[in-house]
């Protein structure tokens, strides 16, 4: 059993991790509206993206989140949604943003597809194997 102090510590660690994730997303997304200089915008955008990426990867290692992300329905949604987003970004944007944005979303989509393929390659273990003696109708 976990002690009360360990549960409180785990709660605050999760809280700070999620706060860093949200702060990284906000910093990355709002840099253009808040900052004037091109260098400051780039630093805030890339720094926020890096913070969100690191915090998000740590969040994804949690057992409940990992189980949710490994479900076939979730992987299909991620594959189709991110593929559609990549196609939309490619048509809606121009310049370097077109290639970087659609490329990154395409990579996320391919990652979900890889998870789908990997889950299909795992051997399916029968939950129960019936023999003559196990069957109620024998």
């Amino acid at each position: 059993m976990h002690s009360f102090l360990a549960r409180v510590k785990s709660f605050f660690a999760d809280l700070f991790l999620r706060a860093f994730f949200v702060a990284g997303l906000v910093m990355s997304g709002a840099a253009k509206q808040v900052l004037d200089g091109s260098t400051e915008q780039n630093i805030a955008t890339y720094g926020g993206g890096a913070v969100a990426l690191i915090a998000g990867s740590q969040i994804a290692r949690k057992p409940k989140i990992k189980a949710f992300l490994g479900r076939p329905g979730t992987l299909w949604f991620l594959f189709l949604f991110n593929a559609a987003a990549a196609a939309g970004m490619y048509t809606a944007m121009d310049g370097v943003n077109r290639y970087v944005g659609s490329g990154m979303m395409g990579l996320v989509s391919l990652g979900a597809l890889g998870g789908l393929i990997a889950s299909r390659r795992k051997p399916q273990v029968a939950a129960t194997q019936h023999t003559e003696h196990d069957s109620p109708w024998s």
Side-chain angles (χ1 to χ4, degrees), residues 25-93:
L25 289 178
V26 169
M27 188 169 50
S28 179
K32 187 173 183 180
Q33 288 78 19
V34 176
L35 299 172
D36 293 330
S38 175
T39 304
E40 291 87 5
Q41 286 177 3
N42 289 339
I43 291 172
T45 300
Y46 298 133
V51 167
L53 181 67
I54 292 168
S57 66
Q58 293 300 316
I59 291 171
R61 290 183 181 179
K62 303 285 182 185
K64 289 182 181 179
I65 301 296
K66 196 173 189 177
F68 174 72
L69 290 174
R71 291 177 33 200
T74 305
L75 289 172
W76 273 109
F77 172 77
L78 288 172
F79 169 63
L80 295 173
F81 180 81
N82 288 308
M89 290 173 112
Y90 186 79
T91 58
M93 295 179 158

Side-chain angles (χ1 to χ4, degrees), residues 2 7 10 14 20 28 41 49 55-57 60 72 83 87 91 98 101 109 114 116 120 130 135 138:
H2 294 285
R7 285 187 291 185
S10 175
D14 287 343
F20 277 123
S28 179
Q41 286 177 3
S57 66
T91 58
R98 162 189 272 181
S109 179
L116 282 169
R120 289 201 180 259
H130 295 290
S135 177
S138 59

